Amino acid sequence: MNINKHHILFFYMLLMISGTALSQARHIRKADVAYSNYGYLNALSVYLKVVERGYESQELFSKIANSYYFNAKYDEALIWYEKIFKLKDHQPEAEILLRYAQSLKATGLVEKSEAYYDKYVELSRKKLEGKKLTAKDYLALIESNSDRYEIKRLEGTNTDNTEFGKTVFNRKLFFASNRANGAFFNRRSSWDGMSFLNLYQVEINDENEVIGEPGLLAGDINGMYHESSPVITRDGKTMYFTRSNNNPKWKDNDEHLKIYRAHFGDGKWTNIEDLSINNDAYSTAHPALNTLGTTLYFTSDRPGGYGQSDIYMASIDENGEIGEAKNLGSKINTPGKETFPFVSDTNELYFSSDGHFGLGGLDIFYIKIEDSGFQNLLNLGKPINSYADDFDFGINSETQKGFFSSNRSQSISSDDNNLSALGKPNQFINDNIYSLKELKPIVDPYKAKINGHVTDIENGGPITNAMIKVFKEDGEIYDSTYTNNKGYYEIETDSYSVYRLRASKENYDTHEEVSVADKTVQTIDFNLRRNRLKLAPGVDIAKTLNIQNIFFDFDKSDITDAAKIKLEKLIVVLEDYSDLKINIRSHTDSRGSDAYNLALSKRRAVSTKAYLVKKGIESERLVANGFGEIQLTNHCSNGVTCNEENHLRNRRSEFVVAN
């Protein structure tokens, strides 16, 4: 194909022109970027350089100390906080005292830390310690969750002997009892001299009323000693239960218990297994299962616990293998006795304890299990709990019906007062089973909320995605969250505790505040100052470096010693960025005549420029202007009554990056 050579030449020239134009456009864009973006101002770097030049102030030292503190460099933070205290014009600040005390504590100087913490409390009138609850407080909390249940002694099952149990499967209640079985030889326990417990079942209706006769479980499940606390998997094929230690070497010692596993087939419970979590030297008892049957909860007095007996958990894999026993921790377990766990379909743990504050012997407690851990521990209140031992609680989350057991006297109704409070002895009987119906959900009286906004101190705008960390009294993180697109955050807390809240965001100074106790809702706002910003035209450096208020003596334009320290920050920036040009803008408030204020502001701007030039900054890089009162930042114009704080906002100096 023939191509006209003129066309080729034209096409070639077009490519050349286009390439040259594109190249020139790139150079122009690059020049524009260089012209409009000198780099980034790092406030901390500026403060350090000002200090290196021999300048001292509380603001300089605080800025540096806080940067180390918030980065957990407590040794370095201590050095700079102590420099603050040595300043002649040092002004005590509560937040500085608190951070210094925290740094001392973190570095092991506990006694000195306590002394400075006391100074912080005296100055701020705040404490990091929450409210220490008294017996009266606990009784009030218990009362707040009382009268939530309707209870009835279960007729047709209880005898003068011992009965307890709460497991329901296929409209049958499974329970333990030591009622006479008609045997010629009735073995008795060394614990109490009573007959050994066996496992029974009885048919019930939808109202949890007995409609049949109790009968012993068929199969190998009932032996020569105690059996109790059965729990059945959802498919009905497996039962975990408590039995006296069946090891022949320990057969005369029925005080130790073990958890066994039985399997259902042909109408019988057989194939009894001893579990790996058991040990002949201590007890493992009272099993409970989570909804999926993947976690086993139980009671044990094994070594390494918190008290007489603790609640533990262990995983169950798909092959039925039991994992390592894990203690549920000090939020659940106490130096006393924790026992008879139950986990509902909605992941709520119920258990009995005499170690937590209660109404009598064993009280039944509730705690919600979340992915983040356990929530607040709550006493179920009356009538579930009484002066007596109340235990073995279980409930169906859908019907809100269930059972529990108690050794309270039959002659005393569930809502009667404790007889000992009336000067009469309390009465006890052998354990009985009660049916229960929950009338209203449990309320967590500990729950509170802290909320607020995080804003930019320069313009008042919201700061989105700022992190809010909440620290407990011991310094551990309680929770954390982020602000939304309106700069708002909200976090659930404990109303009786005190927290340190920390707001942080990249390119901003971090800030902390302390909450107060005994408030169900409180608002804590944060105003953060930028510590790193782009040096582009129109940016006011004074706001980030906190130098907007350059004070002059009355009716004068001479630079004071205090102003010199502030201006040194600007000098550092101008030296670091040799091409940077600045517009110096001085403003006054509205008091005085317009003409006088305009002239005064011009003299002050010129005086500021002269000082910078004297310090080595080229004159052509600086433009000085005075605006008097014509650019007020608020409503405080002529004739308007304003307080000193509002007038102060107008008496400002600006150092704006020039075009």
Side-chain angles (χ1 to χ4, degrees), residues 615-628:
K615 296 291 285 186
I617 305 301
E618 297 90 339
S619 176
E620 59 270 18
R621 297 173 61 192
L622 307 170
V623 176
N625 289 297
F627 294 89

Side-chain angles (χ1 to χ4, degrees), residues 240-256:
Y240 294 84
F241 67 100
T242 303
R243 172 184 276 179
S244 300
N245 189 352
N246 212 22
N247 188 329
K249 295 182 179 178
W250 296 72
K251 65 181 181 180
D252 294 328
N253 184 354
D254 60 14
E255 294 181 4
H256 288 142

Side-chain angles (χ1 to χ4, degrees), residues 4-258:
N4 189 301
K5 64 178 180 181
H6 295 290
H7 289 165
I8 296 175
L9 180 61
F10 175 78
F11 182 67
Y12 177 74
M13 290 176 65
L14 184 62
L15 285 175
M16 292 289 290
I17 293 169
S18 299
T20 302
L22 289 171
S23 177
Q24 288 176 343
R26 282 196 295 268
H27 284 298
I28 290 170
R29 284 198 299 272
K30 186 175 181 181
D32 287 343
V33 170
Y35 182 71
S36 64
N37 180 12
Y38 298 95
Y40 284 87
L41 181 152
N42 186 317
L44 178 59
S45 175
V46 171
Y47 279 65
L48 284 167
K49 288 181 180 179
V50 173
V51 170
E52 288 172 3
R53 297 182 181 197
Y55 289 90
E56 295 182 344
S57 77
Q58 185 162 329
E59 182 208 10
L60 296 174
F61 292 161
S62 298
K63 182 86 171 183
I64 298 167
N66 290 341
S67 69
Y68 286 123
Y69 171 81
F70 287 121
N71 285 285
K73 297 179 180 179
Y74 300 111
D75 288 328
E76 291 91 338
L78 288 176
I79 295 171
W80 292 95
Y81 285 133
E82 287 166 359
K83 286 180 181 290
I84 297 172
F85 303 143
K86 293 175 183 177
L87 292 172
K88 291 181 180 179
D89 59 349
H90 162 234
Q91 297 294 319
E93 292 183 18
E95 62 181 26
I96 295 300
L97 291 171
L98 176 59
R99 291 168 191 166
Y100 183 59
Q102 296 285 97
S103 299
L104 288 167
K105 185 178 180 182
T107 53
L109 301 172
V110 178
E111 189 173 337
K112 190 175 181 180
S113 169
E114 291 172 350
Y116 274 87
Y117 173 72
D118 290 340
K119 292 181 181 181
Y120 157 76
V121 172
E122 183 180 353
L123 187 61
S124 68
R125 301 187 180 278
K126 285 186 177 182
K127 289 187 176 182
L128 282 176
E129 291 89 355
K131 180 179 179 181
K132 306 303 180 187
L133 297 180
T134 64
K136 186 176 180 181
D137 294 323
Y138 280 116
L139 286 172
L141 290 171
I142 292 172
E143 189 64 31
S144 69
N145 271 311
S146 290
D147 302 320
R148 295 175 42 251
Y149 293 92
E150 178 184 277
I151 67 171
K152 294 179 182 178
R153 185 173 178 272
L154 193 62
E155 301 298 331
T157 297
N158 293 311
T159 67
D160 291 337
N161 294 285
T162 293
E163 281 83 26
F164 62 91
K166 76 323 188 145
T167 295
V168 175
F169 186 80
N170 268 357
R171 299 174 67 90
K172 293 184 178 64
L173 171 66
F174 292 76
F175 65 97
S177 175
N178 62 358
R179 65 188 66 199
N181 298 318
F184 178 76
F185 181 67
N186 189 13
R187 294 175 57 85
R188 296 182 179 273
S189 169
S190 61
W191 291 1
D192 49 21
M194 299 182 68
S195 300
F196 284 99
L197 295 164
N198 284 315
L199 291 179
Y200 291 78
Q201 64 182 21
V202 65
E203 191 173 355
I204 57 173
N205 61 19
D206 290 339
E207 297 302 316
N208 280 357
E209 298 169 331
V210 171
I211 56 175
E213 290 295 322
L216 282 165
L217 296 190
D220 304 327
I221 202 162
N222 287 312
M224 297 177 63
Y225 300 99
H226 286 299
E227 284 84 27
S228 69
S229 311
V231 59
I232 301 172
T233 56
R234 288 205 158 193
D235 61 8
K237 296 180 180 179
T238 306
M239 175 188 288
Y240 294 84
F241 67 100
T242 303
R243 172 184 276 179
S244 300
N245 189 352
N246 212 22
N247 188 329
K249 295 182 179 178
W250 296 72
K251 65 181 181 180
D252 294 328
N253 184 354
D254 60 14
E255 294 181 4
H256 288 142
L257 304 173
K258 287 185 176 182

Side-chain angles (χ1 to χ4, degrees), residues 399-413:
T399 65
Q400 298 301 306
K401 297 173 184 176
F403 299 93
F404 77 102
S405 299
S406 177
N407 65 349
R408 66 188 72 182
S409 172
Q410 294 181 49
S411 63
I412 299 175
S413 65

Side-chain angles (χ1 to χ4, degrees), residues 297 313 331 346-349 366-376 444 447 492:
Y297 294 83
M313 63 184 291
K331 196 164 189 176
T346 51
N347 229 24
E348 299 156 324
L349 171 64
Y366 160 102
I367 194 165
K368 180 72 174 176
I369 307 172
E370 302 280 7
D371 291 340
S372 58
F374 294 111
Q375 299 301 299
N376 292 317
D444 188 344
K447 279 191 175 180
E492 283 195 351

Side-chain angles (χ1 to χ4, degrees), residues 310-328:
D310 286 7
I311 297 177
Y312 292 79
M313 63 184 291
S315 62
I316 306 174
D317 69 17
E318 57 187 8
N319 297 317
E321 293 293 323
I322 309 295
E324 179 185 358
K326 297 180 180 178
N327 192 294
L328 294 194

